[in-house]
Amino acid sequence: MNPRYLIVCAVCALLLTSCGRGTGIIRTPEPKRPAGQEDMIRFAAEPIADVGIGVVGLGMRGGDAVQRLSLVPGCHVAAVCDVETDRAEASLQYLEGRGVQACAYSGEEESYKALCEDPAVDLVYICTDWRHHVPVALYAMEHGKHVAIEVPSATSLEECWDLVNTSERTRRHCMILENCCYDFFELTALTMAQAGVFGEIIHAEGAYNHNLDPFWKEYWNNWRLEYNSGNRGDLYPTHGFGPVCQALDIHRGDRLTTLVSMDTDPFNGPKHARAAGMEGDFLAGDVTTTLLRTEKGKTILLEHDVMTPRPYSRMYQLVGTDGYAEKYPVQGVCLRTEGAESVDYQNLGGEKTYRGEALQELMARYPSPILTPELEATAKEVGGHGGMDFIMDYRLIYCLNNGLPLDMDVYDLAEWCCVAELSRISIENGGAPVAVPDFTRGAWNKVNGFSYAFAK
């Protein structure tokens, strides 16, 4: 038999396996739904006229959250908590300056438990370091509170399943605080996609490329660099992942099925660790790349890079059958050009490209249904990553006030966060395909298409 034929067959078999069409897919345990539990798809809790919020973790994110939430209608900050007493006192003083009386719980690692037990608190807003996200959230839901958790809300599959099961059993909301879903370009591009401007979305790209050189020392007790040192994979996927999952209707008519991932060696990471006095191996590669496939044959590309000096980018690219949108490096939209009378083979771009003023005029035709002129103006004035943090908080409180399903549910949280561990598994097995769990346990096709809820 021809040796070349044997080689071709072997390569084809390897490619088929790597694409998930062979038998090489790694599967993680998918626990059955406990008896008596129901899914949380489009779950709506009883309306809360004035949401009492307890903010846990008052560092870089939490302190800003206290100030933003004090400006959101329909809520008040009822309690604050931090292991550092001075941070809790600073937030109390800020609130008192605005005429708001709140309680402070601080000084101990488990001070959050008293906040979660406080009857004045309806929603626990969690901004701690990553390791404390899930313990606080689980305790809060067990004590009847809704929870909203900063990103990444969970760092392991076990944590994802714990949050799903506890949310289902307690019938409490468990929302991921993914602010990038509320950035202005993403909101408008999503509206355009839903209007069919790009045809059918078949591929999307997202990233978290952000040089953290100047920031490592700003994290309390150096926890974030320490986490990168001890873990491998895409450790911070949700900023790039969340918005494109919404555009692809993930668990609203489609679902993620498989993932493959690889990374570079850690080149810069160990240098930062040594400078911070850390010892031992550094596990996180400088650049991690992940590719996912959906049930309906669509794909998503993710990147993670916090170690190199390339420009900040979340990519955010939507590829449709009839159009394309990109936010980075330059905002633009490309649409199919119909009816060309002749073909110029020297012109490599045959599509109609919108940038600058032409892009603004095009996008102005597709305002996001949640972004009123008043909300946009207030968000830009209050700030918070350009205003998207305020829009996120506003929508969360609006939905709780009116007893509506939240824009992002516990399944979004689990699906967007599970990439961290799944990418590690793929990397450690030579880039092998890994099955993405169905956290909805069969309910992913129960609703057709992503949508926002509004009061009648």
Side-chain angles (χ1 to χ4, degrees):
M1 186 174 291
N2 189 329
R4 185 179 177 190
Y5 175 77
L6 292 175
I7 293 173
V8 171
C9 287
V11 170
C12 289
L14 178 60
L15 289 173
L16 287 171
T17 300
S18 298
C19 292
R21 296 172 185 165
T23 59
I25 300 178
I26 299 172
R27 300 187 181 277
T28 59
E30 294 191 32
K32 292 183 178 180
R33 177 172 283 123
Q37 289 187 191
E38 297 179 1
D39 68 67
M40 297 286 285
I41 301 291
R42 302 299 287 174
F43 169 76
E46 288 296 316
I48 306 171
D50 183 20
V51 180
I53 304 174
V55 180
V56 181
L58 302 169
M60 286 190 289
R61 293 285 181 91
D64 290 344
V66 169
Q67 297 184 25
R68 284 196 319 275
L69 291 165
S70 69
L71 301 172
V72 175
C75 70
H76 64 282
V77 178
V80 294
C81 175
D82 196 279
V83 68
E84 304 284 353
T85 301
D86 59 338
R87 291 179 177 177
E89 290 298 327
S91 289
L92 273 190
Q93 291 178 13
Y94 172 82
L95 292 170
E96 288 173 0
R98 297 192 58 82
V100 177
Q101 296 298 313
C103 293
Y105 302 95
S106 63
E108 303 292 337
E109 186 171 352
E110 293 190 344
S111 294
Y112 68 85
K113 290 185 176 180
L115 179 144
C116 293
E117 295 165 5
D118 189 333
V121 172
D122 304 300
L123 167 71
V124 178
Y125 196 105
I126 303 167
C127 303
T128 64
D129 64 281
W130 300 351
R131 287 190 177 92
H132 288 86
H133 283 174
V134 173
V136 177
L138 295 177
Y139 195 85
M141 286 189 283
E142 294 288 3
H143 288 78
K145 315 302 185 185
H146 300 297
V147 298
I149 317 173
E150 263 295 354
V151 297
S153 305
T155 58
S156 70
L157 291 170
E158 180 181 7
E159 289 184 339
C160 289
W161 283 114
D162 283 347
L163 291 173
V164 167
N165 283 333
T166 304
S167 178
E168 289 182 349
R169 176 168 50 79
T170 62
R171 311 311 284 171
R172 297 293 86 186
H173 286 297
C174 183
M175 173 178 156
I176 181 171
L177 289 168
E178 185 38 78
N179 56 353
C180 295
C181 291
Y182 297 93
D183 210 352
F184 300 104
F185 187 92
E186 284 89 330
L187 286 172
T188 305
L190 175 61
T191 304
M192 295 174 73
Q194 292 174 329
V197 174
F198 310 121
E200 183 173 4
I201 304 299
I202 60 174
H203 174 76
E205 300 184 9
Y208 188 70
N209 297 327
H210 185 190
N211 178 24
L212 292 184
D213 284 3
F215 303 106
W216 292 118
K217 62 182 180 296
E218 301 297 324
Y219 292 97
W220 177 71
N221 284 349
N222 224 9
W223 67 262
R224 187 161 180 179
L225 183 58
E226 185 179 84
Y227 193 89
N228 276 257
S229 177
N231 294 274
R232 193 177 182 186
D234 188 331
L235 305 180
Y236 201 68
T238 69
H239 280 341
F241 198 30
V244 300
C245 281
Q246 289 184 336
L248 285 167
D249 296 326
I250 297 303
H251 88 250
R252 296 167 178 87
D254 200 356
R255 64 174 292 260
L256 303 166
T257 56
T258 51
L259 165 157
V260 294
S261 189
M262 64 178 60
D263 62 358
T264 69
D265 284 347
F267 293 92
N268 285 330
K271 300 176 187 177
H272 298 306
R274 286 194 295 271
M278 296 181 186
E279 298 179 355
D281 294 337
F282 196 97
L283 300 185
D286 283 7
V287 179
T288 302
T289 305
T290 302
L291 185 64
L292 300 102
R293 186 174 176 86
T294 78
E295 182 73 26
K296 293 189 174 179
K298 302 175 181 183
T299 54
I300 301 173
L301 175 67
L302 295 179
E303 289 184 357
H304 177 264
D305 174 6
V306 296
M307 296 294 179
T308 76
R310 65 173 164 176
Y312 179 91
S313 172
R314 301 195 303 271
M315 285 207 297
Y316 191 74
Q317 298 180 13
L318 302 180
V319 181
T321 54
D322 295 310
Y324 166 83
E326 67 173 354
K327 183 171 183 178
Y328 299 92
V330 180
Q331 292 185 7
V333 165
C334 295
L335 301 178
R336 185 185 298 280
T337 300
E338 300 288 356
E341 295 182 359
S342 61
V343 177
D344 179 3
Y345 289 103
Q346 301 302 316
N347 179 10
L348 300 181
E351 66 284 336
K352 170 67 174 176
T353 301
Y354 297 81
R355 298 196 190 279
E357 185 176 338
L359 175 64
Q360 298 308 312
E361 291 177 357
L362 173 65
M363 299 186 81
R365 303 177 206 165
Y366 300 93
S368 169
I370 68 170
L371 197 59
T372 64
E374 296 77 15
L375 177 57
E376 180 173 354
T378 301
K380 289 180 177 178
E381 180 180 354
V382 173
H385 292 95
M388 61 184 177
D389 295 0
F390 185 84
I391 299 170
M392 173 184 70
D393 293 336
Y394 178 91
R395 276 295 299 177
L396 168 59
I397 299 304
Y398 173 87
C399 292
L400 291 176
N401 287 159
N402 291 282
L404 299 172
L406 304 187
D407 299 341
M408 298 176 287
D409 61 26
V410 70
Y411 307 115
D412 292 314
L413 182 157
E415 288 154 358
W416 302 351
C417 292
C418 76
V419 170
E421 182 166 357
L422 296 180
S423 61
R424 174 188 62 78
I425 293 171
S426 178
I427 289 168
E428 291 180 349
N429 287 275
V434 182
V436 179
D438 177 12
F439 292 100
T440 72
R441 294 169 168 123
W444 59 272
N445 215 15
K446 190 174 179 179
V447 173
N448 185 23
F450 173 85
S451 64
Y452 299 103
F454 295 94
K456 295 181 179 179

PDB file of all heavy atoms in Angstrom, residues 61 66 137 187 191 238 293 310 351 385 413 416 436:
ATOM      1  N   ARG A  61     -13.242  47.444  42.585  1.00  0.00           N
ATOM      2  CA  ARG A  61     -14.578  47.398  41.987  1.00  0.00           C
ATOM      3  C   ARG A  61     -15.664  47.787  42.988  1.00  0.00           C
ATOM      4  O   ARG A  61     -16.602  48.504  42.671  1.00  0.00           O
ATOM      5  CB  ARG A  61     -14.857  45.993  41.441  1.00  0.00           C
ATOM      6  CG  ARG A  61     -14.004  45.585  40.248  1.00  0.00           C
ATOM      7  CD  ARG A  61     -14.440  46.272  38.970  1.00  0.00           C
ATOM      8  NE  ARG A  61     -13.641  45.876  37.831  1.00  0.00           N
ATOM      9  CZ  ARG A  61     -13.938  44.865  37.026  1.00  0.00           C
ATOM     10  NH1 ARG A  61     -15.009  44.118  37.263  1.00  0.00           N
ATOM     11  NH2 ARG A  61     -13.171  44.574  35.997  1.00  0.00           N
ATOM     12  N   VAL A  66     -20.441  50.991  45.149  1.00  0.00           N
ATOM     13  CA  VAL A  66     -21.223  51.672  46.179  1.00  0.00           C
ATOM     14  C   VAL A  66     -21.635  53.061  45.694  1.00  0.00           C
ATOM     15  O   VAL A  66     -22.798  53.473  45.836  1.00  0.00           O
ATOM     16  CB  VAL A  66     -20.423  51.778  47.491  1.00  0.00           C
ATOM     17  CG1 VAL A  66     -21.109  52.724  48.476  1.00  0.00           C
ATOM     18  CG2 VAL A  66     -20.257  50.404  48.128  1.00  0.00           C
ATOM     19  N   ALA A 137     -21.703  33.987  47.548  1.00  0.00           N
ATOM     20  CA  ALA A 137     -22.939  33.840  46.779  1.00  0.00           C
ATOM     21  C   ALA A 137     -23.790  32.689  47.302  1.00  0.00           C
ATOM     22  O   ALA A 137     -25.021  32.817  47.436  1.00  0.00           O
ATOM     23  CB  ALA A 137     -22.623  33.637  45.305  1.00  0.00           C
ATOM     24  N   LEU A 187     -24.174  46.954  22.467  1.00  0.00           N
ATOM     25  CA  LEU A 187     -25.631  47.060  22.518  1.00  0.00           C
ATOM     26  C   LEU A 187     -26.213  47.310  21.130  1.00  0.00           C
ATOM     27  O   LEU A 187     -27.206  46.684  20.733  1.00  0.00           O
ATOM     28  CB  LEU A 187     -26.044  48.187  23.466  1.00  0.00           C
ATOM     29  CG  LEU A 187     -25.902  47.921  24.964  1.00  0.00           C
ATOM     30  CD1 LEU A 187     -26.171  49.200  25.752  1.00  0.00           C
ATOM     31  CD2 LEU A 187     -26.857  46.823  25.415  1.00  0.00           C
ATOM     32  N   THR A 191     -28.411  44.760  18.541  1.00  0.00           N
ATOM     33  CA  THR A 191     -29.699  45.154  17.953  1.00  0.00           C
ATOM     34  C   THR A 191     -29.674  44.986  16.445  1.00  0.00           C
ATOM     35  O   THR A 191     -30.651  44.518  15.838  1.00  0.00           O
ATOM     36  CB  THR A 191     -30.014  46.612  18.326  1.00  0.00           C
ATOM     37  OG1 THR A 191     -29.984  46.760  19.742  1.00  0.00           O
ATOM     38  CG2 THR A 191     -31.391  47.015  17.816  1.00  0.00           C
ATOM     39  N   THR A 238     -14.848  36.255  30.313  1.00  0.00           N
ATOM     40  CA  THR A 238     -16.239  36.678  30.123  1.00  0.00           C
ATOM     41  C   THR A 238     -16.401  38.027  29.432  1.00  0.00           C
ATOM     42  O   THR A 238     -17.427  38.264  28.799  1.00  0.00           O
ATOM     43  CB  THR A 238     -16.992  36.696  31.467  1.00  0.00           C
ATOM     44  OG1 THR A 238     -16.508  37.751  32.295  1.00  0.00           O
ATOM     45  CG2 THR A 238     -16.847  35.369  32.185  1.00  0.00           C
ATOM     46  N   ARG A 293     -17.356  25.501  19.485  1.00  0.00           N
ATOM     47  CA  ARG A 293     -18.341  25.196  18.451  1.00  0.00           C
ATOM     48  C   ARG A 293     -19.706  25.048  19.108  1.00  0.00           C
ATOM     49  O   ARG A 293     -19.814  24.618  20.268  1.00  0.00           O
ATOM     50  CB  ARG A 293     -17.966  23.907  17.711  1.00  0.00           C
ATOM     51  CG  ARG A 293     -18.847  23.569  16.502  1.00  0.00           C
ATOM     52  CD  ARG A 293     -18.297  22.368  15.755  1.00  0.00           C
ATOM     53  NE  ARG A 293     -19.180  21.973  14.665  1.00  0.00           N
ATOM     54  CZ  ARG A 293     -19.152  22.495  13.438  1.00  0.00           C
ATOM     55  NH1 ARG A 293     -18.280  23.431  13.149  1.00  0.00           N
ATOM     56  NH2 ARG A 293     -19.978  22.063  12.500  1.00  0.00           N
ATOM     57  N   ARG A 310       0.649  44.462  23.908  1.00  0.00           N
ATOM     58  CA  ARG A 310      -0.198  44.815  22.760  1.00  0.00           C
ATOM     59  C   ARG A 310      -1.400  45.623  23.250  1.00  0.00           C
ATOM     60  O   ARG A 310      -1.817  45.526  24.406  1.00  0.00           O
ATOM     61  CB  ARG A 310      -0.635  43.579  21.986  1.00  0.00           C
ATOM     62  CG  ARG A 310      -1.535  42.590  22.688  1.00  0.00           C
ATOM     63  CD  ARG A 310      -1.979  41.545  21.674  1.00  0.00           C
ATOM     64  NE  ARG A 310      -2.536  40.356  22.261  1.00  0.00           N
ATOM     65  CZ  ARG A 310      -3.055  39.355  21.552  1.00  0.00           C
ATOM     66  NH1 ARG A 310      -3.063  39.418  20.233  1.00  0.00           N
ATOM     67  NH2 ARG A 310      -3.546  38.288  22.153  1.00  0.00           N
ATOM     68  N   GLU A 351     -16.836  44.533  -0.393  1.00  0.00           N
ATOM     69  CA  GLU A 351     -17.975  44.840   0.458  1.00  0.00           C
ATOM     70  C   GLU A 351     -18.071  46.346   0.715  1.00  0.00           C
ATOM     71  O   GLU A 351     -17.137  47.093   0.445  1.00  0.00           O
ATOM     72  CB  GLU A 351     -17.850  44.096   1.793  1.00  0.00           C
ATOM     73  CG  GLU A 351     -16.675  44.543   2.652  1.00  0.00           C
ATOM     74  CD  GLU A 351     -15.344  44.011   2.155  1.00  0.00           C
ATOM     75  OE1 GLU A 351     -15.330  42.979   1.458  1.00  0.00           O
ATOM     76  OE2 GLU A 351     -14.323  44.652   2.452  1.00  0.00           O
ATOM     77  N   HIS A 385     -16.361  52.705  33.590  1.00  0.00           N
ATOM     78  CA  HIS A 385     -15.950  52.157  32.297  1.00  0.00           C
ATOM     79  C   HIS A 385     -16.735  52.805  31.154  1.00  0.00           C
ATOM     80  O   HIS A 385     -17.266  52.130  30.270  1.00  0.00           O
ATOM     81  CB  HIS A 385     -16.113  50.636  32.275  1.00  0.00           C
ATOM     82  CG  HIS A 385     -15.164  49.928  33.195  1.00  0.00           C
ATOM     83  ND1 HIS A 385     -15.510  49.556  34.471  1.00  0.00           N
ATOM     84  CD2 HIS A 385     -13.881  49.530  33.028  1.00  0.00           C
ATOM     85  CE1 HIS A 385     -14.479  48.955  35.056  1.00  0.00           C
ATOM     86  NE2 HIS A 385     -13.476  48.931  34.207  1.00  0.00           N
ATOM     87  N   LEU A 413     -23.913  32.780  33.454  1.00  0.00           N
ATOM     88  CA  LEU A 413     -22.771  32.793  34.371  1.00  0.00           C
ATOM     89  C   LEU A 413     -21.941  31.525  34.216  1.00  0.00           C
ATOM     90  O   LEU A 413     -20.717  31.583  34.032  1.00  0.00           O
ATOM     91  CB  LEU A 413     -23.280  32.946  35.807  1.00  0.00           C
ATOM     92  CG  LEU A 413     -22.273  33.032  36.945  1.00  0.00           C
ATOM     93  CD1 LEU A 413     -22.902  33.719  38.154  1.00  0.00           C
ATOM     94  CD2 LEU A 413     -21.741  31.665  37.377  1.00  0.00           C
ATOM     95  N   TRP A 416     -20.302  31.084  30.591  1.00  0.00           N
ATOM     96  CA  TRP A 416     -19.229  32.025  30.291  1.00  0.00           C
ATOM     97  C   TRP A 416     -18.001  31.776  31.171  1.00  0.00           C
ATOM     98  O   TRP A 416     -16.879  32.036  30.741  1.00  0.00           O
ATOM     99  CB  TRP A 416     -19.714  33.465  30.455  1.00  0.00           C
ATOM    100  CG  TRP A 416     -20.891  33.808  29.597  1.00  0.00           C
ATOM    101  CD1 TRP A 416     -21.450  33.051  28.595  1.00  0.00           C
ATOM    102  CD2 TRP A 416     -21.684  34.998  29.660  1.00  0.00           C
ATOM    103  NE1 TRP A 416     -22.527  33.697  28.038  1.00  0.00           N
ATOM    104  CE2 TRP A 416     -22.702  34.899  28.669  1.00  0.00           C
ATOM    105  CE3 TRP A 416     -21.641  36.149  30.451  1.00  0.00           C
ATOM    106  CZ2 TRP A 416     -23.647  35.907  28.465  1.00  0.00           C
ATOM    107  CZ3 TRP A 416     -22.588  37.146  30.246  1.00  0.00           C
ATOM    108  CH2 TRP A 416     -23.574  37.026  29.258  1.00  0.00           C
ATOM    109  N   VAL A 436     -18.504  20.896  26.316  1.00  0.00           N
ATOM    110  CA  VAL A 436     -19.017  21.950  27.191  1.00  0.00           C
ATOM    111  C   VAL A 436     -20.294  21.436  27.844  1.00  0.00           C
ATOM    112  O   VAL A 436     -21.229  21.022  27.147  1.00  0.00           O
ATOM    113  CB  VAL A 436     -19.302  23.236  26.404  1.00  0.00           C
ATOM    114  CG1 VAL A 436     -19.851  24.317  27.337  1.00  0.00           C
ATOM    115  CG2 VAL A 436     -18.041  23.729  25.697  1.00  0.00           C
TER     116      VAL A 436
END
